[in-house]
Amino acid sequence: MRDTRILMGMPITVEIVDAAKAERLIEAVYAYFAAVDARFSTFKPDSEISAINQGRVAPADLSAEMREVLAIAARTKRETRGYFEIQRPDGSLDPSGIVKGWAIRNAADLLRREGVANFFVDAGGDIQSSGVNAEGKPWKIGIRSPFNDQEIIKIVHPGGHGIATSGTYVRNQHIYNPHAPDREIDDIVSLTVIGSDVLEADRFATAAFAMGRAGIHFLEAQPDLEGYLVDARGVATQTTGFKAFISP
Amino acid sequence: MQSFQHYAATALLAASALSGVTPAQAAPAVPADQTAPAPASGAPIDISSKSGPYRDGSFTGPVYDAYYGLVQVKANVQGGRIVSIDVLQYPSDRRTSRAINSQALPMLEDEVISAQSGSVDIVSGATLTSTAYVRSLSKALAQARSQGRSQAQTGS
């Protein structure tokens, strides 16, 4: 059973394979995302994060969920030498760069606790899959072309790993620097990260993308992360271990 | 934004080794653990201005902080051309399961992307939300335009 709804400003798709209570569990997953949105949305004036940003809540009164997310954000900032930052120039906090992966991971944990082994949860292109699809085969995930949203440029089998993509949408592939037309373009447009779970993939996809081309070397140096980086010329660079996930 | 931190490629490290111009014969490389890391910030390294005939010899670059550890290379020049690059220092806390040649920075594999055929269960990509955003915005603007017209008509 598969369902897609728009929540947190993005399409969220949940598929549960052959579970008797699939319908109820899918409702529970969407209810969970709605609760996360209510707490963490910076667009909702009555959310906890808005209350924090307006100085309406004392640090001692933060919810356990907020503490956990802020702690993960602080840890990610350290691990990426400041390339992950939830504090905006105006001083306000926007943890949305981490909330998505965190919420998908928690939704997946919810399903596992209910005994579901074969499923995926996809929120805006960041995905936690588990087990096999309805045909009993490993989940196949396509990486979308940053140049054409109808096109897949890679097919991977992440297994129980999480996958997340950060990037920008490119309308015109032929980008060059008019001040240095001969210089190699080093703009990167898409970075897909596979991690031990979707939270790991998401937080490092966000941070490594901000590093620019060096992001792929950062990922290469991390034992549990693999990456596939696409630059503005349509050239992809992959970490050494990424190949293990590519569909044969 | 620290310009060097956008590059961790061998070419740049080689260029920085050359721009450091420390002939190994004249000034042997300081043992790495006694060398303070060069600040990652500073002026961008302009490779082009350093190109051209190099002096023959071995040139050791400064130690650079490349996020995940310190990196230092030595460029060997013969007949004005770089013939080899030795990696003097590279983070040792890398994954041990990967066969990393201690004499070479890992050269990551490049490929030109191409459309893949075949069905997939799910798609990972950052474009969906931004594409959806653009589509939604254009619809909203189209609505705004038609509303504007209808209001204008109503008003006329």
Side-chain angles (χ1 to χ4, degrees), chain A residues 37-92:
Chain A
D37 196 31
R39 187 180 298 283
F40 289 98
S41 173
T42 54
F43 299 105
K44 292 187 191 304
D46 56 345
S47 69
E48 184 178 358
I49 193 70
S50 292
I52 292 170
N53 286 331
Q54 293 157 15
R56 290 191 281 114
V57 61
D61 298 332
L62 295 180
S63 66
E65 291 91 340
M66 186 62 69
R67 287 171 194 274
E68 184 184 346
V69 163
L70 295 181
I72 295 168
R75 178 157 55 89
T76 307
K77 181 177 177 175
R78 282 197 307 275
E79 289 168 339
T80 61
R81 306 215 182 162
Y83 272 89
F84 186 90
E85 176 60 82
I86 66 165
Q87 187 155 22
R88 299 287 161 252
D90 66 359
S92 68

Short mmCIF file of all heavy atoms in Angstrom, two decimals, chain A residues 37-92:
data_model
loop_
_atom_site.label_atom_id
_atom_site.label_comp_id
_atom_site.label_asym_id
_atom_site.label_seq_id
_atom_site.Cartn_x
_atom_site.Cartn_y
_atom_site.Cartn_z
N ASP A 37 5.81 18.86 12.00
CA ASP A 37 5.62 20.14 11.34
C ASP A 37 5.09 21.18 12.32
O ASP A 37 5.55 22.33 12.35
CB ASP A 37 4.65 19.96 10.16
CG ASP A 37 4.69 21.14 9.21
OD1 ASP A 37 5.77 21.77 9.07
OD2 ASP A 37 3.65 21.44 8.59
N ALA A 38 4.13 20.77 13.15
CA ALA A 38 3.53 21.69 14.12
C ALA A 38 4.57 22.20 15.11
O ALA A 38 4.49 23.34 15.58
CB ALA A 38 2.39 20.99 14.86
N ARG A 39 5.57 21.37 15.42
CA ARG A 39 6.58 21.76 16.40
C ARG A 39 7.73 22.55 15.76
O ARG A 39 8.25 23.49 16.35
CB ARG A 39 7.14 20.51 17.10
CG ARG A 39 8.07 20.83 18.25
CD ARG A 39 8.61 19.59 18.92
NE ARG A 39 7.59 18.75 19.53
CZ ARG A 39 7.01 19.03 20.69
NH1 ARG A 39 7.32 20.11 21.36
NH2 ARG A 39 6.10 18.21 21.18
N PHE A 40 8.13 22.13 14.54
CA PHE A 40 9.38 22.64 13.99
C PHE A 40 9.22 23.64 12.83
O PHE A 40 10.22 24.18 12.35
CB PHE A 40 10.26 21.48 13.52
CG PHE A 40 10.82 20.67 14.65
CD1 PHE A 40 10.21 19.48 15.06
CD2 PHE A 40 11.97 21.08 15.31
CE1 PHE A 40 10.73 18.74 16.11
CE2 PHE A 40 12.49 20.34 16.36
CZ PHE A 40 11.87 19.17 16.76
N SER A 41 8.02 23.86 12.35
CA SER A 41 7.87 24.75 11.21
C SER A 41 8.14 26.21 11.59
O SER A 41 7.49 26.77 12.47
CB SER A 41 6.47 24.65 10.61
OG SER A 41 6.32 25.64 9.61
N THR A 42 9.09 26.82 10.87
CA THR A 42 9.36 28.23 11.12
C THR A 42 8.28 29.11 10.47
O THR A 42 8.26 30.32 10.69
CB THR A 42 10.74 28.62 10.56
OG1 THR A 42 10.80 28.25 9.18
CG2 THR A 42 11.86 27.92 11.31
N PHE A 43 7.42 28.48 9.66
CA PHE A 43 6.34 29.25 9.02
C PHE A 43 5.09 29.30 9.90
O PHE A 43 4.17 30.05 9.60
CB PHE A 43 5.98 28.63 7.66
CG PHE A 43 7.12 28.62 6.70
CD1 PHE A 43 7.80 27.44 6.42
CD2 PHE A 43 7.56 29.79 6.10
CE1 PHE A 43 8.87 27.44 5.54
CE2 PHE A 43 8.62 29.80 5.22
CZ PHE A 43 9.29 28.62 4.95
N LYS A 44 5.06 28.47 10.93
CA LYS A 44 3.88 28.45 11.81
C LYS A 44 4.16 29.31 13.04
O LYS A 44 5.06 28.99 13.82
CB LYS A 44 3.56 27.01 12.24
CG LYS A 44 3.06 26.11 11.10
CD LYS A 44 2.62 24.78 11.66
CE LYS A 44 2.37 23.72 10.61
NZ LYS A 44 1.41 24.07 9.57
N PRO A 45 3.41 30.38 13.23
CA PRO A 45 3.70 31.29 14.35
C PRO A 45 3.54 30.62 15.72
O PRO A 45 4.15 31.07 16.69
CB PRO A 45 2.68 32.42 14.17
CG PRO A 45 1.68 31.94 13.19
CD PRO A 45 2.31 30.87 12.38
N ASP A 46 2.75 29.54 15.78
CA ASP A 46 2.52 28.89 17.08
C ASP A 46 3.39 27.66 17.29
O ASP A 46 3.18 26.90 18.23
CB ASP A 46 1.04 28.51 17.22
CG ASP A 46 0.56 27.62 16.09
OD1 ASP A 46 1.27 27.54 15.06
OD2 ASP A 46 -0.51 26.99 16.22
N SER A 47 4.38 27.44 16.40
CA SER A 47 5.26 26.28 16.59
C SER A 47 6.26 26.56 17.71
O SER A 47 6.50 27.72 18.07
CB SER A 47 6.01 25.98 15.30
OG SER A 47 6.96 27.00 15.01
N GLU A 48 6.83 25.50 18.24
CA GLU A 48 7.82 25.67 19.31
C GLU A 48 9.04 26.44 18.80
O GLU A 48 9.57 27.30 19.50
CB GLU A 48 8.25 24.31 19.87
CG GLU A 48 9.20 24.44 21.06
CD GLU A 48 9.58 23.09 21.65
OE1 GLU A 48 9.10 22.05 21.18
OE2 GLU A 48 10.39 23.09 22.59
N ILE A 49 9.46 26.14 17.56
CA ILE A 49 10.65 26.83 17.04
C ILE A 49 10.37 28.33 16.87
O ILE A 49 11.24 29.17 17.13
CB ILE A 49 11.14 26.19 15.71
CG1 ILE A 49 12.54 26.70 15.35
CG2 ILE A 49 10.20 26.44 14.55
CD1 ILE A 49 13.64 26.21 16.25
N SER A 50 9.13 28.68 16.48
CA SER A 50 8.78 30.11 16.38
C SER A 50 8.78 30.76 17.76
O SER A 50 9.23 31.90 17.93
CB SER A 50 7.41 30.28 15.73
OG SER A 50 7.47 29.89 14.37
N ALA A 51 8.30 30.00 18.75
CA ALA A 51 8.30 30.52 20.13
C ALA A 51 9.73 30.78 20.60
O ALA A 51 10.01 31.79 21.25
CB ALA A 51 7.59 29.54 21.05
N ILE A 52 10.64 29.86 20.26
CA ILE A 52 12.04 30.05 20.63
C ILE A 52 12.59 31.31 19.95
O ILE A 52 13.24 32.15 20.59
CB ILE A 52 12.87 28.80 20.21
CG1 ILE A 52 12.46 27.60 21.06
CG2 ILE A 52 14.36 29.09 20.32
CD1 ILE A 52 13.03 26.28 20.57
N ASN A 53 12.31 31.43 18.64
CA ASN A 53 12.85 32.56 17.89
C ASN A 53 12.26 33.90 18.33
O ASN A 53 12.88 34.95 18.13
CB ASN A 53 12.64 32.34 16.38
CG ASN A 53 13.60 31.29 15.84
OD1 ASN A 53 14.71 31.13 16.37
ND2 ASN A 53 13.18 30.58 14.81
N GLN A 54 11.07 33.85 18.92
CA GLN A 54 10.48 35.09 19.43
C GLN A 54 10.81 35.30 20.91
O GLN A 54 10.28 36.22 21.53
CB GLN A 54 8.95 35.06 19.22
CG GLN A 54 8.55 35.10 17.75
CD GLN A 54 7.17 34.51 17.53
OE1 GLN A 54 6.40 34.32 18.48
NE2 GLN A 54 6.87 34.21 16.28
N GLY A 55 11.65 34.42 21.44
CA GLY A 55 12.05 34.57 22.85
C GLY A 55 10.93 34.27 23.81
O GLY A 55 10.94 34.74 24.96
N ARG A 56 9.94 33.48 23.36
CA ARG A 56 8.79 33.21 24.21
C ARG A 56 8.94 31.94 25.03
O ARG A 56 8.04 31.56 25.76
CB ARG A 56 7.51 33.12 23.36
CG ARG A 56 7.07 34.45 22.79
CD ARG A 56 5.67 34.35 22.21
NE ARG A 56 5.67 33.74 20.89
CZ ARG A 56 5.10 32.57 20.62
NH1 ARG A 56 4.51 31.87 21.57
NH2 ARG A 56 5.12 32.09 19.40
N VAL A 57 10.08 31.24 24.88
CA VAL A 57 10.25 30.00 25.64
C VAL A 57 11.65 29.99 26.25
O VAL A 57 12.64 30.34 25.59
CB VAL A 57 9.99 28.77 24.73
CG1 VAL A 57 10.95 28.72 23.57
CG2 VAL A 57 10.08 27.48 25.54
N ALA A 58 11.71 29.63 27.51
CA ALA A 58 13.00 29.58 28.20
C ALA A 58 13.71 28.28 27.82
O ALA A 58 13.05 27.26 27.58
CB ALA A 58 12.78 29.63 29.71
N PRO A 59 15.04 28.31 27.77
CA PRO A 59 15.78 27.11 27.40
C PRO A 59 15.38 25.90 28.24
O PRO A 59 15.34 24.77 27.75
CB PRO A 59 17.23 27.51 27.65
CG PRO A 59 17.25 28.99 27.49
CD PRO A 59 15.90 29.47 27.97
N ALA A 60 15.05 26.14 29.50
CA ALA A 60 14.71 25.02 30.38
C ALA A 60 13.38 24.38 29.99
O ALA A 60 13.09 23.25 30.38
CB ALA A 60 14.64 25.50 31.83
N ASP A 61 12.57 25.11 29.23
CA ASP A 61 11.24 24.61 28.90
C ASP A 61 11.16 23.94 27.53
O ASP A 61 10.06 23.64 27.06
CB ASP A 61 10.23 25.76 28.95
CG ASP A 61 10.13 26.35 30.35
OD1 ASP A 61 10.39 25.60 31.31
OD2 ASP A 61 9.83 27.55 30.48
N LEU A 62 12.32 23.73 26.89
CA LEU A 62 12.29 23.11 25.57
C LEU A 62 11.80 21.67 25.67
O LEU A 62 12.07 20.96 26.63
CB LEU A 62 13.70 23.11 24.95
CG LEU A 62 14.31 24.48 24.64
CD1 LEU A 62 15.69 24.28 24.03
CD2 LEU A 62 13.42 25.26 23.71
N SER A 63 11.09 21.24 24.62
CA SER A 63 10.64 19.85 24.57
C SER A 63 11.83 18.93 24.35
O SER A 63 12.90 19.35 23.88
CB SER A 63 9.64 19.67 23.43
OG SER A 63 10.30 19.85 22.19
N ALA A 64 11.63 17.65 24.67
CA ALA A 64 12.70 16.67 24.47
C ALA A 64 13.06 16.57 22.99
O ALA A 64 14.23 16.43 22.62
CB ALA A 64 12.25 15.31 25.00
N GLU A 65 12.03 16.66 22.13
CA GLU A 65 12.28 16.58 20.68
C GLU A 65 13.14 17.74 20.21
O GLU A 65 14.08 17.58 19.42
CB GLU A 65 10.95 16.58 19.91
CG GLU A 65 10.13 15.33 20.09
CD GLU A 65 9.16 15.43 21.25
OE1 GLU A 65 9.36 16.29 22.15
OE2 GLU A 65 8.19 14.66 21.28
N MET A 66 12.82 18.95 20.70
CA MET A 66 13.59 20.13 20.30
C MET A 66 15.03 20.02 20.79
O MET A 66 15.97 20.33 20.04
CB MET A 66 12.92 21.39 20.87
CG MET A 66 13.56 22.70 20.40
SD MET A 66 13.47 22.95 18.61
CE MET A 66 11.71 23.22 18.38
N ARG A 67 15.19 19.56 22.03
CA ARG A 67 16.56 19.40 22.56
C ARG A 67 17.35 18.43 21.69
O ARG A 67 18.52 18.65 21.41
CB ARG A 67 16.51 18.84 23.99
CG ARG A 67 16.05 19.84 25.03
CD ARG A 67 15.82 19.10 26.36
NE ARG A 67 15.08 19.94 27.29
CZ ARG A 67 15.65 20.83 28.09
NH1 ARG A 67 16.95 20.98 28.07
NH2 ARG A 67 14.92 21.58 28.90
N GLU A 68 16.69 17.34 21.31
CA GLU A 68 17.39 16.33 20.51
C GLU A 68 17.83 16.91 19.16
O GLU A 68 18.97 16.74 18.73
CB GLU A 68 16.48 15.10 20.30
CG GLU A 68 17.19 13.97 19.56
CD GLU A 68 16.27 12.79 19.26
OE1 GLU A 68 15.18 12.71 19.84
OE2 GLU A 68 16.68 11.95 18.44
N VAL A 69 16.90 17.62 18.50
CA VAL A 69 17.22 18.18 17.18
C VAL A 69 18.33 19.24 17.30
O VAL A 69 19.27 19.27 16.50
CB VAL A 69 15.95 18.76 16.53
CG1 VAL A 69 16.30 19.70 15.38
CG2 VAL A 69 15.06 17.63 16.03
N LEU A 70 18.24 20.09 18.31
CA LEU A 70 19.27 21.13 18.48
C LEU A 70 20.63 20.49 18.80
O LEU A 70 21.67 20.98 18.36
CB LEU A 70 18.87 22.13 19.57
CG LEU A 70 17.62 22.96 19.25
CD1 LEU A 70 17.32 23.93 20.39
CD2 LEU A 70 17.74 23.71 17.93
N ALA A 71 20.59 19.38 19.55
CA ALA A 71 21.85 18.69 19.86
C ALA A 71 22.46 18.06 18.61
O ALA A 71 23.67 18.11 18.39
CB ALA A 71 21.61 17.62 20.93
N ILE A 72 21.61 17.48 17.76
CA ILE A 72 22.11 16.89 16.51
C ILE A 72 22.69 18.00 15.62
O ILE A 72 23.72 17.83 14.98
CB ILE A 72 20.99 16.12 15.77
CG1 ILE A 72 20.54 14.91 16.60
CG2 ILE A 72 21.48 15.65 14.40
CD1 ILE A 72 19.25 14.27 16.08
N ALA A 73 22.00 19.14 15.59
CA ALA A 73 22.49 20.26 14.78
C ALA A 73 23.85 20.73 15.28
O ALA A 73 24.76 20.98 14.48
CB ALA A 73 21.47 21.41 14.81
N ALA A 74 24.01 20.82 16.59
CA ALA A 74 25.29 21.27 17.16
C ALA A 74 26.40 20.26 16.84
O ALA A 74 27.52 20.64 16.49
CB ALA A 74 25.14 21.46 18.67
N ARG A 75 26.05 18.97 16.94
CA ARG A 75 27.03 17.93 16.65
C ARG A 75 27.44 17.98 15.17
O ARG A 75 28.61 17.88 14.82
CB ARG A 75 26.43 16.55 16.99
CG ARG A 75 27.33 15.38 16.70
CD ARG A 75 26.93 14.18 17.55
NE ARG A 75 25.52 13.80 17.42
CZ ARG A 75 25.06 12.93 16.50
NH1 ARG A 75 25.88 12.36 15.66
NH2 ARG A 75 23.78 12.63 16.46
N THR A 76 26.43 18.17 14.29
CA THR A 76 26.72 18.21 12.86
C THR A 76 27.59 19.42 12.53
O THR A 76 28.51 19.33 11.70
CB THR A 76 25.41 18.26 12.05
OG1 THR A 76 24.58 17.18 12.48
CG2 THR A 76 25.68 18.12 10.56
N LYS A 77 27.34 20.54 13.21
CA LYS A 77 28.16 21.72 12.97
C LYS A 77 29.63 21.43 13.32
O LYS A 77 30.54 21.79 12.57
CB LYS A 77 27.64 22.89 13.81
CG LYS A 77 28.42 24.17 13.60
CD LYS A 77 27.84 25.33 14.39
CE LYS A 77 28.69 26.58 14.20
NZ LYS A 77 28.09 27.75 14.87
N ARG A 78 29.84 20.76 14.47
CA ARG A 78 31.22 20.40 14.85
C ARG A 78 31.83 19.44 13.83
O ARG A 78 32.97 19.62 13.41
CB ARG A 78 31.22 19.71 16.23
CG ARG A 78 31.10 20.64 17.40
CD ARG A 78 31.53 19.94 18.70
NE ARG A 78 30.86 18.68 18.93
CZ ARG A 78 29.66 18.55 19.51
NH1 ARG A 78 29.00 19.63 19.90
NH2 ARG A 78 29.11 17.38 19.71
N GLU A 79 31.06 18.43 13.45
CA GLU A 79 31.61 17.39 12.57
C GLU A 79 31.91 17.92 11.17
O GLU A 79 32.66 17.30 10.43
CB GLU A 79 30.62 16.22 12.47
CG GLU A 79 30.54 15.40 13.75
CD GLU A 79 29.38 14.43 13.76
OE1 GLU A 79 28.41 14.63 13.00
OE2 GLU A 79 29.44 13.47 14.54
N THR A 80 31.30 19.03 10.79
CA THR A 80 31.51 19.57 9.46
C THR A 80 32.23 20.92 9.51
O THR A 80 32.22 21.67 8.54
CB THR A 80 30.18 19.75 8.71
OG1 THR A 80 29.36 20.68 9.43
CG2 THR A 80 29.43 18.43 8.60
N ARG A 81 32.85 21.19 10.62
CA ARG A 81 33.60 22.43 10.81
C ARG A 81 32.80 23.66 10.40
O ARG A 81 33.27 24.53 9.69
CB ARG A 81 34.90 22.38 10.01
CG ARG A 81 35.69 21.13 10.36
CD ARG A 81 37.14 21.37 10.33
NE ARG A 81 37.85 20.14 10.62
CZ ARG A 81 39.10 19.95 10.34
NH1 ARG A 81 39.79 20.91 9.76
NH2 ARG A 81 39.69 18.84 10.64
N GLY A 82 31.58 23.68 10.87
CA GLY A 82 30.77 24.87 10.67
C GLY A 82 30.02 24.93 9.37
O GLY A 82 29.30 25.90 9.12
N TYR A 83 30.16 23.91 8.52
CA TYR A 83 29.43 23.94 7.25
C TYR A 83 27.96 23.60 7.42
O TYR A 83 27.17 23.76 6.50
CB TYR A 83 30.09 23.04 6.20
CG TYR A 83 31.13 23.81 5.45
CD1 TYR A 83 32.44 23.86 5.90
CD2 TYR A 83 30.78 24.54 4.33
CE1 TYR A 83 33.39 24.60 5.22
CE2 TYR A 83 31.72 25.29 3.65
CZ TYR A 83 33.02 25.31 4.10
OH TYR A 83 33.94 26.05 3.44
N PHE A 84 27.59 23.09 8.58
CA PHE A 84 26.18 22.92 8.88
C PHE A 84 25.83 23.94 9.94
O PHE A 84 26.43 23.97 11.02
CB PHE A 84 25.88 21.51 9.37
CG PHE A 84 24.41 21.25 9.54
CD1 PHE A 84 23.66 20.75 8.50
CD2 PHE A 84 23.77 21.57 10.72
CE1 PHE A 84 22.30 20.55 8.63
CE2 PHE A 84 22.41 21.38 10.86
CZ PHE A 84 21.68 20.86 9.82
N GLU A 85 24.89 24.80 9.64
CA GLU A 85 24.58 25.90 10.56
C GLU A 85 23.09 26.16 10.53
O GLU A 85 22.53 26.40 9.47
CB GLU A 85 25.35 27.16 10.10
CG GLU A 85 25.05 28.40 10.91
CD GLU A 85 25.41 28.23 12.39
OE1 GLU A 85 26.58 28.39 12.74
OE2 GLU A 85 24.49 27.94 13.17
N ILE A 86 22.44 26.06 11.69
CA ILE A 86 21.00 26.33 11.72
C ILE A 86 20.70 27.75 12.15
O ILE A 86 19.56 28.19 12.11
CB ILE A 86 20.25 25.33 12.63
CG1 ILE A 86 20.66 25.51 14.09
CG2 ILE A 86 20.46 23.91 12.17
CD1 ILE A 86 19.71 24.80 15.06
N GLN A 87 21.73 28.47 12.60
CA GLN A 87 21.50 29.85 13.02
C GLN A 87 21.58 30.78 11.81
O GLN A 87 22.58 30.77 11.08
CB GLN A 87 22.53 30.27 14.06
CG GLN A 87 22.22 31.64 14.65
CD GLN A 87 22.80 31.81 16.04
OE1 GLN A 87 23.73 31.12 16.42
NE2 GLN A 87 22.25 32.74 16.80
N ARG A 88 20.55 31.53 11.60
CA ARG A 88 20.49 32.45 10.48
C ARG A 88 21.22 33.74 10.83
O ARG A 88 21.46 34.02 12.02
CB ARG A 88 19.03 32.75 10.12
CG ARG A 88 18.27 31.52 9.70
CD ARG A 88 18.69 31.07 8.30
NE ARG A 88 18.31 29.69 8.07
CZ ARG A 88 19.16 28.68 8.02
NH1 ARG A 88 20.45 28.89 8.19
NH2 ARG A 88 18.74 27.46 7.78
N PRO A 89 21.58 34.52 9.80
CA PRO A 89 22.30 35.78 10.07
C PRO A 89 21.57 36.69 11.06
O PRO A 89 22.19 37.44 11.81
CB PRO A 89 22.38 36.43 8.68
CG PRO A 89 22.34 35.28 7.73
CD PRO A 89 21.45 34.25 8.37
N ASP A 90 20.23 36.60 11.09
CA ASP A 90 19.49 37.45 12.03
C ASP A 90 19.44 36.86 13.44
O ASP A 90 18.78 37.42 14.32
CB ASP A 90 18.06 37.69 11.50
CG ASP A 90 17.22 36.41 11.46
OD1 ASP A 90 17.75 35.34 11.84
OD2 ASP A 90 16.05 36.49 11.06
N GLY A 91 20.12 35.71 13.63
CA GLY A 91 20.17 35.11 14.96
C GLY A 91 19.11 34.07 15.22
O GLY A 91 19.19 33.33 16.19
N SER A 92 18.11 33.99 14.33
CA SER A 92 17.06 33.01 14.55
C SER A 92 17.53 31.60 14.16
O SER A 92 18.51 31.45 13.44
CB SER A 92 15.81 33.38 13.74
OG SER A 92 16.07 33.23 12.36
#
